[in-house]
Amino acid sequence: DDLFIATVEGLAQKTLPYQTFCALTFTLTTGQAVPDNLISLLNRLGYQTAPTVEDVGSYCSRGGILDIYSPAHGQPLRIELFGDTVESIRTFDLGTQLSSQAVKTAHIIPKRSFVF
């Protein structure tokens, strides 16, 4: 038997329906073409543009590099593009902004539990 403990406020909090959440979630993998409307899609999902990525839900696009901090990952991601194709995906350090570990997939989920 399972036991689930939650506060009344936690149970009353409104969230996206599962189907809507899945429909708004997408992944980017190495070698994949990025969607033409990627920036507008990020904005629609609640992400905010910033000069440098410093917190969850922000992104920065400059040249062939897209830095994004998705709530689905513990660290921000640096996605390097070659034209419209994902060339590499790496985690990076918020303090130094230096890339570190390579990853194969970036999961982009809504920033908030609601979408305008």
Side-chain angles (χ1 to χ4, degrees):
D1 291 323
D2 294 331
L3 177 64
F4 181 78
I5 300 174
T7 63
V8 173
E9 293 83 11
L11 290 173
Q13 186 177 23
K14 295 185 183 239
T15 60
L16 286 173
Y18 179 74
Q19 294 81 4
T20 304
F21 179 83
C22 289
L24 294 172
T25 299
F26 66 96
T27 48
L28 296 173
T29 57
T30 306
Q32 174 189 0
V34 296
D36 291 333
N37 61 343
L38 180 60
I39 298 302
S40 63
L41 182 57
L42 290 174
N43 291 330
R44 198 174 109 226
L45 294 177
Y47 289 82
Q48 295 184 339
T49 186
T52 58
V53 169
E54 296 178 348
D55 55 356
V56 175
S58 61
Y59 72 92
C60 175
S61 177
R62 56 191 188 283
I65 297 175
L66 173 67
D67 289 346
I68 185 167
Y69 201 161
S70 170
H73 295 276
Q75 291 182 291
L77 301 174
R78 178 160 290 143
I79 301 167
E80 295 184 28
L81 305 172
F82 183 74
D84 292 339
T85 304
V86 176
E87 189 172 77
S88 69
I89 305 170
R90 303 180 68 80
T91 59
F92 70 92
D93 182 82
L94 286 174
T96 63
Q97 296 287 311
L98 295 176
S99 297
S100 53
Q101 181 179 352
V103 294
K104 293 186 180 191
T105 304
H107 300 284
I108 312 301
I109 64 173
K111 176 187 173 189
R112 301 186 274 288
S113 57
F114 62 92
V115 177
F116 295 107

